[in-house]
Structure formats: structure tokens, C-alpha cells
Amino acid sequence: MMKRLLLPLLLLMPFVLCAQQNDSSDVPFNGLVKDLSGKGVKVRVFVKNSDKRTVADREGRFGLTNLKPTDTLLLQYRREKVEIPLDGRRSLKVLWGGEQPSYDEDEELVDLGFGYVKRREYACSSSGITGEMMLQKGFTDLQTALLALVPGLQLINGELVIRGQSSVNSSSAALIVCDGMPVSSLNSISIYEVKSVEVQRGNNMYGVRGGNGVILIRTRDK
């Protein structure tokens, strides 16, 4: 009788463990705070009733992980403070200034995934870059732009390498995914068609292929 019960339990265990891992997986929340002139505001960001906190960078960008839909953010800049209930939002774009800052969800920020999340908030660091940002900086080639904008990204033996060359014999190339489909290189992707790029230094979702890092590209029509 015990053996009959044990076998179904053993078969069920991988599914239980997988469900637990999915429940605990990190979910990014991205924010952007600008003043009335369009400049970034380096606000301090606190999650009420939590020890989570971060600081926006000079562009006004900040990121956190695993926020609840019912959480409330407290944004502070100098002596000014404002509380913003998330109400299920997955991102936040704030216009700071006037009598009361205005805010709303921004799908562009959602698309950047872990782009704004600080390294201290997420061990698998990444860089979020928009196509508009690359064009504004004068780049006309996607590979050249990423090599210039992503810290640690290198071109070694014709391969884009994120984590450094780990072996002489095996490839250290990052996995390139465009609109959900793996591609062999960036040569076939026009920088003018790129909506956003997220560079992750590791992603278990792609198994062994993601171990060398992943370059996630989303084009404007997706």
C-alpha cells in the first residue's frame, strides 16, 4: 500500500517544485520620474510597510522587483514627498512638479523588463535600451550601439560575449532573441526597427543556451 502511494507522490513532486519556483520568480517594476522641463529627478523610492527601497538615477529611472498590486510607493525628493498606490500597475511614469505630481502606467517601461532594476535589487543584472535612445545618440548600427552602451559586452572572435570568454574550445556567445525567436547575429536586424533591447547576464528560462547571457530584442511592430 505504501509503495502505491509513494509513486504518485514522487511523480507529483517535480510539478510542485516547479510551481513553487514560478511563484517565487522575480517580476520587474520599472519607474521613470521627470520634471516639467523633461530632466530626470533622482527621487528616493520606498515601498510602504516593506524594507524594499531604491534610488532613481540621473535620468530619473528606477527599478524594483516583486511588488504587490496593492503596494504603495513613497517617492521623496528633498523635502517633497508623494505617495502613489500601485493599484495593479506594472510600471510608473511620473511628472514631478506643480502642485501635485501626475503619474500613470507606461507600456514602454513594462516592455523594458529588468532594464531599470538596480543590480542590488536583482542578481542577474541587465541593461534596458530603447531604439529611440540609440538613434538619439547617433548610432546607425545595432551591434555598434550595444557594444558602446552595454557595460561588459564585447565582440570576441566575431561573437557577442556578455559574461567573458569562459572556454577556449566552447562558444561563449550570448543568445540573441528577436521578437521571441533566436537569431544567429544582429546583422539582419535594422536599428531603425528596434523598439527596445534588454541584455541579461543570465536567464534560466532559456536553459543552457541562456547561460552565456541573453540579448532580447523587440521590434516596433511587436
Side-chain angles (χ1 to χ4, degrees), residues 108-170:
E108 293 286 343
L109 298 180
V110 174
D111 290 341
L112 286 175
F114 285 99
Y116 290 179
V117 179
K118 303 293 185 181
R119 291 185 180 182
R120 63 177 179 272
E121 293 290 338
Y122 185 60
C124 176
S125 57
S126 60
S127 301
I129 300 170
T130 65
E132 182 180 357
M133 178 193 305
M134 291 186 287
L135 295 178
Q136 287 179 346
K137 292 182 178 294
F139 292 106
T140 58
D141 174 74
L142 180 56
Q143 180 169 285
T144 302
L146 295 184
L147 287 171
L149 297 175
V150 180
L153 182 64
Q154 300 176 341
L155 185 64
I156 301 177
N157 297 327
E159 297 180 334
L160 286 172
V161 177
I162 298 173
R163 302 174 63 90
Q165 195 164 16
S166 57
S167 172
V168 176
N169 298 320
S170 61

Coordinates of all heavy atoms in Angstrom, one line a residue, residues 108-170:
E108 N 5.8 51.3 -22.4 CA 7.2 51.3 -22.8 C 8.1 50.8 -21.7 O 9.1 50.0 -21.9 CB 7.7 52.6 -23.3 CG 7.0 53.1 -24.5 CD 7.5 52.4 -25.8 OE1 8.6 51.8 -25.7 OE2 6.8 52.5 -26.8
L109 N 7.8 51.2 -20.5 CA 8.6 50.8 -19.3 C 8.4 49.3 -19.0 O 9.3 48.6 -18.6 CB 8.3 51.6 -18.1 CG 8.5 53.1 -18.2 CD1 8.1 53.9 -16.9 CD2 10.0 53.4 -18.5
V110 N 7.1 48.9 -19.2 CA 6.9 47.5 -18.9 C 7.7 46.6 -19.9 O 8.2 45.6 -19.5 CB 5.3 47.2 -19.1 CG1 5.1 45.7 -19.0 CG2 4.5 47.9 -18.1
D111 N 7.8 47.0 -21.1 CA 8.5 46.3 -22.2 C 10.0 46.1 -21.9 O 10.6 45.2 -22.3 CB 8.3 47.0 -23.5 CG 6.9 46.8 -24.1 OD1 6.2 46.0 -23.6 OD2 6.5 47.6 -25.0
L112 N 10.5 47.1 -21.1 CA 12.0 47.0 -20.8 C 12.3 45.9 -19.8 O 13.5 45.7 -19.6 CB 12.4 48.4 -20.3 CG 12.5 49.5 -21.3 CD1 12.9 50.8 -20.7 CD2 13.6 49.1 -22.4
G113 N 11.3 45.3 -19.2 CA 11.6 44.2 -18.3 C 12.5 44.6 -17.1 O 12.2 45.5 -16.4
F114 N 13.7 44.0 -17.0 CA 14.6 44.3 -15.9 C 15.6 45.4 -16.3 O 16.6 45.6 -15.6 CB 15.4 43.0 -15.6 CG 14.7 42.0 -14.8 CD1 14.1 40.9 -15.5 CD2 14.4 42.1 -13.5 CE1 13.4 39.9 -14.8 CE2 13.7 41.2 -12.8 CZ 13.2 40.1 -13.5
G115 N 15.2 46.2 -17.3 CA 16.1 47.2 -17.7 C 16.5 48.3 -16.7 O 17.6 48.7 -16.6
Y116 N 15.6 48.7 -15.8 CA 15.9 49.7 -14.8 C 16.2 49.2 -13.5 O 16.5 49.9 -12.5 CB 14.7 50.7 -14.7 CG 14.4 51.5 -15.9 CD1 13.4 52.4 -16.0 CD2 15.3 51.5 -17.0 CE1 13.2 53.2 -17.1 CE2 15.0 52.3 -18.1 CZ 14.0 53.2 -18.2 OH 13.8 54.0 -19.2
V117 N 16.0 47.9 -13.3 CA 16.2 47.3 -11.9 C 17.7 47.4 -11.6 O 18.6 46.9 -12.3 CB 15.7 45.8 -11.9 CG1 16.0 45.2 -10.5 CG2 14.3 45.8 -12.2
K118 N 18.0 47.9 -10.4 CA 19.4 48.1 -9.9 C 20.0 46.7 -9.7 O 19.3 45.7 -9.3 CB 19.4 48.9 -8.6 CG 18.8 50.3 -8.8 CD 19.5 51.2 -9.7 CE 18.9 52.6 -9.7 NZ 19.6 53.5 -10.6
R119 N 21.3 46.6 -9.8 CA 22.0 45.3 -9.5 C 21.8 44.9 -8.1 O 21.7 43.7 -7.8 CB 23.5 45.5 -9.8 CG 23.8 45.7 -11.3 CD 25.3 45.7 -11.6 NE 25.5 45.9 -13.0 CZ 26.7 45.9 -13.5 NH1 27.8 45.7 -12.8 NH2 26.9 46.1 -14.8
R120 N 21.6 45.8 -7.2 CA 21.4 45.4 -5.8 C 20.0 44.8 -5.6 O 19.7 44.2 -4.6 CB 21.6 46.6 -4.8 CG 20.7 47.7 -5.0 CD 20.9 48.8 -4.0 NE 20.1 50.0 -4.1 CZ 20.3 51.0 -4.9 NH1 21.4 51.0 -5.6 NH2 19.5 52.0 -5.0
E121 N 19.1 45.1 -6.5 CA 17.8 44.6 -6.4 C 17.6 43.2 -7.1 O 16.7 42.5 -6.9 CB 16.8 45.6 -7.1 CG 16.7 46.9 -6.3 CD 15.9 46.7 -5.0 OE1 15.2 45.7 -4.8 OE2 16.2 47.6 -4.1
Y122 N 18.5 42.9 -8.1 CA 18.4 41.7 -8.9 C 19.7 41.2 -9.3 O 20.5 41.9 -9.9 CB 17.5 42.0 -10.1 CG 17.2 40.8 -11.0 CD1 16.5 39.7 -10.4 CD2 17.7 40.7 -12.3 CE1 16.2 38.6 -11.2 CE2 17.3 39.6 -13.1 CZ 16.6 38.6 -12.5 OH 16.3 37.5 -13.2
A123 N 20.0 39.9 -8.9 CA 21.4 39.4 -9.1 C 21.7 39.2 -10.5 O 22.9 39.3 -10.9 CB 21.5 38.0 -8.4
C124 N 20.7 38.9 -11.4 CA 21.0 38.7 -12.8 C 20.9 40.1 -13.5 O 19.8 40.5 -14.0 CB 20.0 37.7 -13.4 SG 20.1 37.5 -15.1
S125 N 21.9 40.9 -13.5 CA 21.9 42.3 -14.0 C 21.6 42.3 -15.4 O 21.9 41.5 -16.2 CB 23.2 43.0 -13.6 OG 24.3 42.3 -14.2
S126 N 21.0 43.5 -15.9 CA 20.6 43.6 -17.2 C 20.7 45.1 -17.6 O 20.7 46.0 -16.7 CB 19.3 43.0 -17.5 OG 18.3 43.7 -16.7
S127 N 20.6 45.4 -18.9 CA 20.5 46.8 -19.3 C 19.4 47.0 -20.3 O 19.2 46.2 -21.2 CB 21.8 47.1 -20.1 OG 23.0 46.9 -19.2
G128 N 18.5 48.0 -20.0 CA 17.4 48.3 -20.9 C 17.7 49.4 -21.8 O 18.0 50.5 -21.3
I129 N 17.6 49.3 -23.1 CA 17.9 50.3 -24.0 C 16.8 50.4 -25.0 O 16.3 49.4 -25.5 CB 19.2 50.0 -24.8 CG1 20.4 49.9 -23.8 CG2 19.5 51.1 -25.8 CD1 21.6 49.4 -24.4
T130 N 16.3 51.6 -25.3 CA 15.3 51.8 -26.3 C 15.9 52.1 -27.7 O 17.0 52.7 -27.8 CB 14.3 52.9 -25.9 OG1 15.0 54.2 -25.9 CG2 13.7 52.7 -24.5
G131 N 15.1 51.8 -28.7 CA 15.6 52.2 -30.1 C 15.7 53.6 -30.2 O 16.7 54.1 -30.9
E132 N 14.8 54.4 -29.6 CA 14.8 55.8 -29.7 C 16.1 56.4 -29.1 O 16.8 57.3 -29.6 CB 13.6 56.4 -29.0 CG 13.5 57.9 -29.1 CD 12.3 58.5 -28.4 OE1 11.5 57.7 -27.9 OE2 12.2 59.7 -28.3
M133 N 16.5 55.8 -28.0 CA 17.7 56.2 -27.3 C 19.0 56.0 -28.2 O 19.8 56.9 -28.3 CB 17.9 55.4 -26.0 CG 19.2 55.7 -25.2 SD 19.5 54.4 -23.9 CE 18.0 54.4 -23.0
M134 N 19.1 54.9 -28.9 CA 20.2 54.6 -29.7 C 20.3 55.6 -30.9 O 21.3 56.1 -31.3 CB 20.1 53.2 -30.2 CG 20.4 52.1 -29.1 SD 20.5 50.4 -29.7 CE 18.7 50.1 -30.1
L135 N 19.1 55.9 -31.5 CA 19.1 56.8 -32.6 C 19.4 58.2 -32.2 O 20.1 59.0 -32.9 CB 17.7 56.8 -33.3 CG 17.3 55.5 -33.9 CD1 15.9 55.5 -34.5 CD2 18.3 55.1 -35.0
Q136 N 19.0 58.6 -31.0 CA 19.3 60.0 -30.5 C 20.8 60.1 -30.3 O 21.3 61.3 -30.4 CB 18.5 60.2 -29.2 CG 17.0 60.5 -29.4 CD 16.3 60.7 -28.1 OE1 16.8 60.4 -27.0 NE2 15.0 61.2 -28.2
K137 N 21.4 59.1 -29.9 CA 22.9 59.1 -29.7 C 23.7 59.0 -31.0 O 24.9 59.0 -31.0 CB 23.3 58.0 -28.7 CG 22.8 58.2 -27.3 CD 23.3 57.1 -26.4 CE 22.8 57.4 -25.0 NZ 23.4 58.6 -24.4
G138 N 23.0 58.9 -32.1 CA 23.6 58.9 -33.4 C 24.1 57.6 -34.0 O 24.8 57.6 -35.0
F139 N 23.7 56.5 -33.4 CA 24.1 55.2 -33.9 C 23.3 54.8 -35.1 O 22.1 55.1 -35.1 CB 23.9 54.1 -32.8 CG 24.9 54.3 -31.6 CD1 24.4 54.8 -30.4 CD2 26.2 54.0 -31.8 CE1 25.3 54.9 -29.3 CE2 27.1 54.2 -30.7 CZ 26.7 54.6 -29.5
T140 N 23.9 54.2 -36.0 CA 23.2 53.7 -37.2 C 23.3 52.2 -37.4 O 22.7 51.6 -38.3 CB 23.8 54.3 -38.5 OG1 25.2 54.1 -38.6 CG2 23.5 55.9 -38.5
D141 N 24.0 51.5 -36.5 CA 24.2 50.1 -36.5 C 23.9 49.5 -35.1 O 24.5 50.0 -34.1 CB 25.6 49.8 -36.9 CG 25.9 48.3 -36.9 OD1 25.5 47.5 -37.7 OD2 26.6 47.9 -35.9
L142 N 23.1 48.5 -35.0 CA 22.7 47.9 -33.8 C 23.8 47.4 -33.0 O 23.9 47.6 -31.8 CB 21.6 46.9 -34.0 CG 21.0 46.2 -32.7 CD1 20.4 47.2 -31.8 CD2 20.0 45.1 -33.1
Q143 N 24.7 46.6 -33.6 CA 25.8 46.0 -32.9 C 26.7 47.0 -32.3 O 27.2 46.9 -31.1 CB 26.5 45.0 -33.8 CG 27.7 44.3 -33.1 CD 28.3 43.2 -33.9 OE1 27.7 42.1 -34.0 NE2 29.4 43.4 -34.6
T144 N 27.1 48.0 -33.1 CA 27.9 49.1 -32.6 C 27.3 49.8 -31.4 O 28.0 50.2 -30.5 CB 28.2 50.1 -33.8 OG1 28.8 49.4 -34.9 CG2 29.1 51.2 -33.3
A145 N 26.0 50.1 -31.5 CA 25.3 50.7 -30.4 C 25.4 49.9 -29.1 O 25.7 50.5 -28.0 CB 23.9 51.0 -30.8
L146 N 25.1 48.6 -29.2 CA 25.1 47.8 -28.0 C 26.5 47.7 -27.4 O 26.6 47.7 -26.2 CB 24.5 46.4 -28.3 CG 23.0 46.4 -28.7 CD1 22.6 45.0 -28.9 CD2 22.2 47.1 -27.7
L147 N 27.5 47.6 -28.2 CA 28.9 47.5 -27.7 C 29.3 48.8 -27.0 O 30.0 48.7 -26.0 CB 29.8 47.2 -28.9 CG 29.8 45.8 -29.5 CD1 30.6 45.7 -30.7 CD2 30.3 44.8 -28.4
A148 N 28.7 49.9 -27.4 CA 29.0 51.2 -26.8 C 28.2 51.4 -25.5 O 28.7 52.0 -24.6 CB 28.8 52.3 -27.8
L149 N 27.0 50.9 -25.5 CA 26.0 51.3 -24.4 C 25.9 50.2 -23.3 O 25.5 50.5 -22.2 CB 24.7 51.5 -25.0 CG 24.5 52.7 -26.0 CD1 23.1 52.7 -26.6 CD2 24.9 54.0 -25.3
V150 N 26.3 49.0 -23.6 CA 26.2 47.9 -22.6 C 27.5 47.6 -21.9 O 28.4 47.1 -22.6 CB 25.6 46.6 -23.2 CG1 25.4 45.5 -22.1 CG2 24.3 46.9 -23.9
P151 N 27.7 47.9 -20.6 CA 28.9 47.6 -19.9 C 29.2 46.1 -19.9 O 28.4 45.3 -19.7 CB 28.6 48.1 -18.5 CG 27.5 49.1 -18.6 CD 26.7 48.6 -19.7
G152 N 30.5 45.8 -20.3 CA 30.9 44.4 -20.3 C 30.6 43.6 -21.5 O 31.1 42.5 -21.7
L153 N 29.8 44.2 -22.5 CA 29.5 43.5 -23.7 C 30.8 43.6 -24.6 O 31.2 44.7 -24.9 CB 28.3 44.1 -24.4 CG 27.8 43.4 -25.7 CD1 27.4 41.9 -25.4 CD2 26.7 44.2 -26.3
Q154 N 31.2 42.5 -25.2 CA 32.4 42.5 -26.0 C 32.2 41.7 -27.3 O 31.3 40.8 -27.3 CB 33.6 41.9 -25.3 CG 34.0 42.6 -24.0 CD 35.1 41.9 -23.3 OE1 35.4 40.8 -23.5 NE2 35.8 42.7 -22.4
L155 N 33.0 42.0 -28.3 CA 33.0 41.2 -29.6 C 34.3 40.4 -29.6 O 35.4 41.0 -29.7 CB 32.9 42.2 -30.8 CG 32.7 41.5 -32.1 CD1 31.4 40.7 -32.2 CD2 32.8 42.5 -33.3
I156 N 34.2 39.1 -29.4 CA 35.3 38.2 -29.3 C 35.2 37.2 -30.4 O 34.2 36.4 -30.4 CB 35.5 37.6 -27.9 CG1 35.6 38.7 -26.9 CG2 36.7 36.7 -27.9 CD1 35.7 38.1 -25.4
N157 N 36.2 37.1 -31.3 CA 36.2 36.2 -32.4 C 34.8 36.2 -33.2 O 34.3 35.1 -33.5 CB 36.4 34.7 -31.9 CG 37.8 34.6 -31.2 OD1 38.8 35.3 -31.7 ND2 37.9 33.8 -30.2
G158 N 34.3 37.4 -33.4 CA 33.1 37.5 -34.1 C 31.8 37.2 -33.4 O 30.7 37.2 -33.9
E159 N 31.9 36.9 -32.0 CA 30.8 36.6 -31.2 C 30.6 37.7 -30.2 O 31.5 38.2 -29.6 CB 31.0 35.3 -30.5 CG 31.1 34.1 -31.4 CD 31.3 32.8 -30.7 OE1 31.8 32.8 -29.5 OE2 30.9 31.7 -31.2
L160 N 29.3 38.0 -29.9 CA 29.0 38.9 -28.8 C 29.0 38.2 -27.5 O 28.3 37.2 -27.3 CB 27.6 39.5 -29.0 CG 27.5 40.6 -30.2 CD1 26.0 41.0 -30.4 CD2 28.3 41.8 -29.8
V161 N 29.8 38.6 -26.6 CA 30.1 37.9 -25.3 C 29.7 38.9 -24.2 O 30.2 40.0 -24.1 CB 31.5 37.5 -25.2 CG1 31.8 36.8 -23.9 CG2 31.9 36.5 -26.3
I162 N 28.9 38.4 -23.2 CA 28.4 39.2 -22.1 C 29.2 38.8 -20.9 O 29.7 39.7 -20.1 CB 26.9 39.0 -21.8 CG1 26.1 39.4 -23.1 CG2 26.5 39.8 -20.6 CD1 24.6 39.1 -22.9
R163 N 29.4 37.6 -20.6 CA 30.0 37.1 -19.3 C 31.5 36.9 -19.4 O 32.1 36.4 -18.5 CB 29.3 35.8 -18.9 CG 27.8 35.9 -18.7 CD 27.2 34.6 -18.5 NE 27.6 34.0 -17.2 CZ 27.0 34.2 -16.0 NH1 26.0 35.0 -16.0 NH2 27.5 33.7 -15.0
G164 N 32.1 37.2 -20.5 CA 33.5 37.0 -20.7 C 33.8 35.6 -21.3 O 32.9 34.7 -21.2
Q165 N 34.9 35.4 -21.9 CA 35.2 34.1 -22.6 C 35.5 33.1 -21.5 O 36.5 33.2 -20.8 CB 36.4 34.3 -23.5 CG 36.5 33.1 -24.5 CD 37.4 33.5 -25.7 OE1 38.2 34.5 -25.6 NE2 37.4 32.7 -26.7
S166 N 34.7 32.0 -21.5 CA 34.8 31.0 -20.4 C 35.6 29.8 -20.9 O 36.1 29.1 -20.0 CB 33.4 30.5 -20.0 OG 32.7 30.0 -21.1
S167 N 35.7 29.6 -22.1 CA 36.5 28.4 -22.6 C 37.1 28.7 -24.0 O 36.5 29.4 -24.8 CB 35.5 27.2 -22.7 OG 36.1 26.1 -23.3
V168 N 38.2 28.1 -24.2 CA 38.9 28.2 -25.5 C 38.2 27.4 -26.6 O 38.1 27.8 -27.7 CB 40.4 27.8 -25.4 CG1 41.0 27.8 -26.8 CG2 41.1 28.6 -24.4
N169 N 37.7 26.2 -26.2 CA 37.1 25.3 -27.1 C 35.6 25.5 -27.4 O 35.1 25.3 -28.5 CB 37.3 23.9 -26.7 CG 38.8 23.5 -26.6 OD1 39.6 23.9 -27.5 ND2 39.2 22.8 -25.6
S170 N 34.8 25.9 -26.3 CA 33.4 26.1 -26.5 C 33.0 27.5 -26.7 O 33.8 28.4 -26.3 CB 32.7 25.5 -25.2 OG 33.1 26.2 -24.1

